[in-house]
C-alpha cells in the first residue's frame, strides 16, 4: 500500500527558498577584522540567484562540479546554496591541503569552475596550471586582474559577474538523490577520498542538526561557524541555519584566538563549532585576558576527542557548555552528540558528556571485533565502530566506476576505523583510531586517554601521544608536550601526574618537548608526521627509568 503523501523532493532549493522568504530577516555575516558585512537571508536568496544565473551563463549545468577555494564568508555561503540549488555540485576545496592533494582532488572531482577568495589568489595561482578541467575562475573579495590564467581559462570578478545578473532563478526540480556537494577526507593515508552528498542526505542531516538531540538550532541563534566550510560539509551548519532561520557568523580568515574573541565580544554568538585545538587556543586567550563569553549557550566540539579537563574549565570558569560530538566526512558528518540523558545532571552528567555521544535515530551503529564478529552494545565490549544510515556514504566517489577502498565497507556498513564501545542506551565511547592505538605487549593503550589526562596538567598546552617501536613490548607510548606559555615541567613530574589515572604498565617512559604539535589540514594532531619526525630523529626524547 502506498501512502497518500505528496512526493515532494527534499532539495536544497526548497531550503534556500524557505530561508529567503519565511526566514528572510535572518542573516549571514562575515567578520572583516573590525566589523561585519551582512546579508539577510532575503538578500542571500537574490545573491544566490545572481550566482546561479552567472554560472549558467558560464555553461554550468546539472551535475557539473563547482569548486570553492575560500574562507568561511558570505560569498562562500552564497555558493553553498546557489550551486546545489541549480543542480550543480558544490566541491569545497580544502585550502590547507598539500599542493599535490589539492591538485589531485580538483582533477579527480573534475571541477569546471572555481570560486576563489582574493586573499588566497597567490596560493591558488600555484595550483591553477595543473587543474586540468577548470575553465573559469571567479575571484571574490579581490582583484581578478591579479590572476594570470593559463590558456583556456577565463578569470572573472565575482562582483562584476553578479552585477549583470537577474536576482531570480527558476531552480529545477531535481531528484533528491542527486549529488549536491562533495568533500574529500583529508587523506592521512594515501590519496584523499571523495564523498558525495545528496540533496536528500543534506536535508535529513540538517534536520538532525536542528533537532534538540543534535545542536538544537532556532531562529534565535547566532551560530559562529569556525569549522571550515570545506571540512566535512561544515558539520551541516549552513543548511541547518537555513532550515531553522538561525543567523550565521562567518569568521573569514580571522581564525586566531584573539580575533575570534574580538568577534565574539561584538556579535555575541549563541553557538559556535570548532575542533578541540581551536578551543584550546581560545581558552589560552581567555585565561590571559578573561572576557564574558556566557552568551554562548553551547560550543560544539568534534573532529578529535574533547579533553574532559577543557570541558570543565569552560563550564566552571566561563559558564559555557562544550558539547562533544563525533563524526566523519563519510557521515555528513554528524554521527553522535553527547547530551546527557533527560534527568541526569550534576556530577552524574559528566560520564555521558565525556563520551562521543548518543547516536541519533538516523544513524545505526554496531561494533565488530578483529575476527569479524558483531560484539554486544554492553558498554564494555570493544570493537570497530560501523555505521549506516541515510546520511552515511555507501562508497567513495570514483569517476571511472572502479571501487575505491572497498574494504572500508562491510556488508553495507561503513567501517569507521575507530575503536570503541557502545552502551546499551546508545552512547559511543571511542578508545582510539585503530591506527593510533598503541599495542604494548599484547595489550592496548589509548593514545587519546593519555592525551586527555595530560592536558589536565596546568603546565601543558598540548599533548599528543604516539606509539614508537619497542623491541620488548612492540610499541610504547611517546608523549609530545607543548608547555603553556611561561610554564615549566619535567617528564618525571608529568608522569607522576598520570600515575593515579593509569595502570603502571600504561605510563609512558618516553617524553619529548616540542614548540608545536604538527596539525593536519583540518587542525587535528598529525600523528603520522609526528611518527615521521620521531623516525627521522628530529625529536629529542627523554627516557625515564
Ligand atoms: P580525517 O579522517 O581526514 O581526519 P574527518 O574529519 O572526516 O577527517 O575525521 C573523522 C575522524 O575523526 C573519525 O573517524 C574519528 O577518528 C575522528 N573524530 C571525529 N570526532 C571525534 C571525537 N569527538 N572524538 C574522537 N575522535 C573523533
Amino acid at each position: 500500500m502506498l501512502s497518500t503523501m505528496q512526493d515532494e523532493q527534499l532539495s536544497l532549493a526548497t531550503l534556500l527558498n524557505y530561508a529567503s522568504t519565511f526566514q528572510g530577516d535572518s542573516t549571514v555575516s562575515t567578520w572583516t577584522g573590525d566589523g561585519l558585512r551582512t546579508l539577510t537571508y532575503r538578500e542571500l536568496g537574490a545573491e544566490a540567484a545572481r550566482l546561479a544565473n552567472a554560472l549558467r551563463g558560464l555553461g554550468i549545468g546539472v551535475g557539473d562540479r563547482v569548486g570553492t577555494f575560500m574562507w568561511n564568508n558570505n560569498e562562500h555561503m552564497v555558493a553553498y546554496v546557489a550551486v546545489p540549488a541549480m543542480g550543480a555540485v558544490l566541491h569545497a576545496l580544502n585550502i590547507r591541503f598539500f599542493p599535490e592533494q589539492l591538485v589531485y582532488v580538483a582533477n579527480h572531482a573534475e571541477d569546471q569552475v572555481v570560486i576563489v577568495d582574493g586573499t588566497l589568489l597567490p596560493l591558488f595561482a600555484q595550483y591553477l596550471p595543473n587543474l586540468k578541467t577548470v575553465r573559469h575562475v571567479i575571484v571574490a573579495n579581490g582583484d581578478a586582474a591579479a590572476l594570470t590564467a593559463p590558456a583556456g581559462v577565463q578569470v572573472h570578478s565575482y562582483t562584476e559577474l553578479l552585477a549583470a545578473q537577474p536576482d531570480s532563478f527558476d531552480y529545477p526540480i531535481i531528484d533528491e538523490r542527486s549529488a549536491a556537494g562533495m568533500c574529500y577526507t583529508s587523506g592521512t593515508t594515501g590519496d584523499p577520498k571523495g564523498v558525495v552528498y545528496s540533496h536528500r542526505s543534506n536535508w535529513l542531516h540538517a534536520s538532525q542538526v536542528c533537532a534538540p538531540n543534535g545542536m538544537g538550532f532556532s531562529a534565535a541563534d547566532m551560530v559562529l561557524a569556525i569549522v571550515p566550510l570545506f571540512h566535512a560539509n561544515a558539520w551541516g551548519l549552513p543548511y541547518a541555519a537555513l532550515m531553522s532561520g538561525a543567523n550565521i557568523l562567518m569568521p573569514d580568515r580571522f581564525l586566531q584566538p584573539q580575533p575570534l574573541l574580538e568577534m565574539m565580544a561584538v556579535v555575541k554568538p549563541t553557538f559556535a563549532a570548532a575542533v578541540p585545538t581551536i578551543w584550546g587556543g581560545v581558552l589560552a586567550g581567555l585565561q590571559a585576558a578573561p572576557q564574558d563569553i556566557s552568551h554562548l549557550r553551547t560550543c560544539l566540539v568534534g573532529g578529535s576527542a574533547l579533553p574532559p579537563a577543557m570541558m570543565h574549565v569552560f563550564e566552571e570558569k566561563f559558564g559555557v557548555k562544550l558539547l562533544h560530538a563525533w563524526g566523519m566526512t563519510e557521515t555528513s558528518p554528524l554521527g553522535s552528540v553527547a547530551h546527557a540523558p533527560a534527568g541526569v545532571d550534576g556530577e552524574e552528567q559528566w560520564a555521558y558528556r565525556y563520551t562521543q555521544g548518543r547516536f541519533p535515530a538516523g544513524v545505526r551503529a554496531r561494533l565488530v571485533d578483529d575476527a569479524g564478529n558483531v560484539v554486544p552494545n554492553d558498554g564494555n565490549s570493544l570493537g570497530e565502530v560501523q555505521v549506516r544510515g541515510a546520511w552515511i556514504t555507501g562508497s567513495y566517489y570514483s569517476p571511472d566506476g572502479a571501487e575505491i577502498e572497498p574494504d572500508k565497507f562491510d556488508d553495507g556498513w561503513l567501517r569507521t576505523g575507530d575503536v570503541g564501545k557502545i552502551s546499551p542506551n546508545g552512547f559511543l565511547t571511542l578508545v582510539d583510531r585503530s591506527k593510533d592505538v598503541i599495542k604494548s605487549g599484547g595489550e592496548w593503550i589509548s593514545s587519546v586517554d593519555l592525551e586527555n589526562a595530560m592536558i589536565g596538567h596546568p603546565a601543558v598546552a598540548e599533548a599528543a601521544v604516539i606509539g614508537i617501536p619497542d623491541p620488548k613490548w612492540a610499541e610504547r607510548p611517546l608523549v609530545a608536550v607543548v608547555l603553556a606559555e611561561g610554564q615549566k615541567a619535567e617528564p618525571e613530574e608529568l608522569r607522576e601526574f598520570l600515575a593515579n589515572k593509569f595502570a603502571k604498565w600504561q605510563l609512558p617512559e618516553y617524553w619529548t618537548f616540542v614548540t608545536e604539535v604538527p596539525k593536519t589540514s583540518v587542525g587535528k594532531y598529525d600523528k603520522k608526521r609526528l611518527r615521521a619526525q620521531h623516525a627521522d630523529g628530529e625529536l629529542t626524547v627523554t627516557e625515564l627509568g
Side-chain angles (χ1 to χ4, degrees), residues 459-540:
V460 175
E462 288 185 345
V465 179
I466 54 169
I468 58 171
D470 183 274
K472 185 162 174 210
W473 304 106
E475 274 186 340
R476 289 297 299 159
L478 163 71
V479 191
V481 174
V482 180
L483 290 174
E485 218 172 298
Q487 298 285 339
K488 282 203 184 89
E490 295 301 325
E492 288 82 0
E493 170 193 349
L494 296 178
R495 182 161 76 168
E496 192 50 39
F497 180 77
L498 299 177
N500 64 350
K501 304 176 182 75
F502 292 89
K504 206 154 178 252
W505 62 270
Q506 295 177 314
L507 291 176
E509 58 274 47
Y510 297 107
W511 295 79
T512 183
F513 290 91
V514 292
T515 48
E516 198 193 352
V517 176
K519 311 276 184 336
T520 71
S521 59
V522 289
K524 307 182 189 190
Y525 291 155
D526 189 342
K527 297 194 182 178
K528 196 176 143 205
R529 236 163 78 209
L530 198 58
R531 280 189 279 264
Q533 286 177 350
H534 175 260
D536 295 345
E538 287 170 31
L539 304 175
T540 310

Side-chain angles (χ1 to χ4, degrees), residues 337-424:
V337 185
H339 293 286
V344 177
D345 45 27
E347 283 304 306
E348 278 174 39
Q349 65 175 306
W350 294 107
Y352 294 95
R353 291 186 46 204
Y354 294 160
T355 72
Q356 272 67 19
R358 179 149 37 181
F359 295 104
V363 179
R364 290 162 64 192
R366 68 178 191 183
L367 297 170
V368 177
D369 69 13
D370 283 345
N373 302 312
V374 174
V375 300
N377 296 335
D378 56 12
N380 285 315
S381 304
L382 279 178
E384 180 183 24
V385 182
Q386 300 193 352
V387 289
R388 63 192 299 163
W391 60 80
I392 313 287
T393 199
S395 63
Y396 289 111
Y397 172 61
S398 169
D400 60 11
E403 276 184 294
I404 294 181
E405 295 201 20
D407 59 344
K408 285 281 286 180
F409 303 90
D410 177 6
D411 195 22
W413 295 79
L414 170 76
R415 297 181 54 190
T416 64
D418 289 329
V419 177
K421 46 196 179 186
I422 299 175
S423 67

Side-chain angles (χ1 to χ4, degrees), residues 96-161:
R96 302 205 185 86
F97 266 169
F98 294 121
E100 59 276 18
Q101 289 179 315
L102 192 283
V103 168
Y104 171 85
V105 299
N107 288 336
H108 191 257
E110 297 173 84
D111 295 339
Q112 306 276 312
V113 176
V114 183
I115 308 173
V116 183
D117 263 321
T119 52
L120 296 168
L121 270 187
L123 188 59
F124 184 71
Q126 299 170 29
Y127 308 141
L128 184 56
N130 298 316
L131 306 186
K132 295 190 190 116
T133 54
V134 172
R135 299 284 159 260
H136 298 276
V137 177
I138 304 175
V139 180
N141 306 314
D143 180 11
L147 182 67
T148 317
V153 177
Q154 288 179 37
V155 183
H156 312 266
S157 146
Y158 178 93
T159 320
E160 285 169 25
L161 192 64

Side-chain angles (χ1 to χ4, degrees), residues 184-188 231-232 235 301-306 324-330 356 416-418 430 432-433 435 448 520 522 524:
Y184 281 76
T185 62
S186 44
T188 36
H231 182 201
W235 299 359
V301 192
S304 45
L306 166 59
H324 196 193
W326 166 86
M328 318 167 68
T329 302
E330 291 88 333
Q356 272 67 19
T416 64
D418 289 329
L430 284 192
D432 222 328
R433 277 187 165 187
K435 53 182 184 279
V448 172
T520 71
V522 289
K524 307 182 189 190

Side-chain angles (χ1 to χ4, degrees), residues 242-258:
L242 295 177
M243 181 173 272
S244 60
N247 304 279
I248 191 159
L249 170 62
M250 301 292 197
D252 203 79
R253 59 190 190 283
F254 304 101
L255 293 168
Q256 298 308 312
Q258 209 45 48

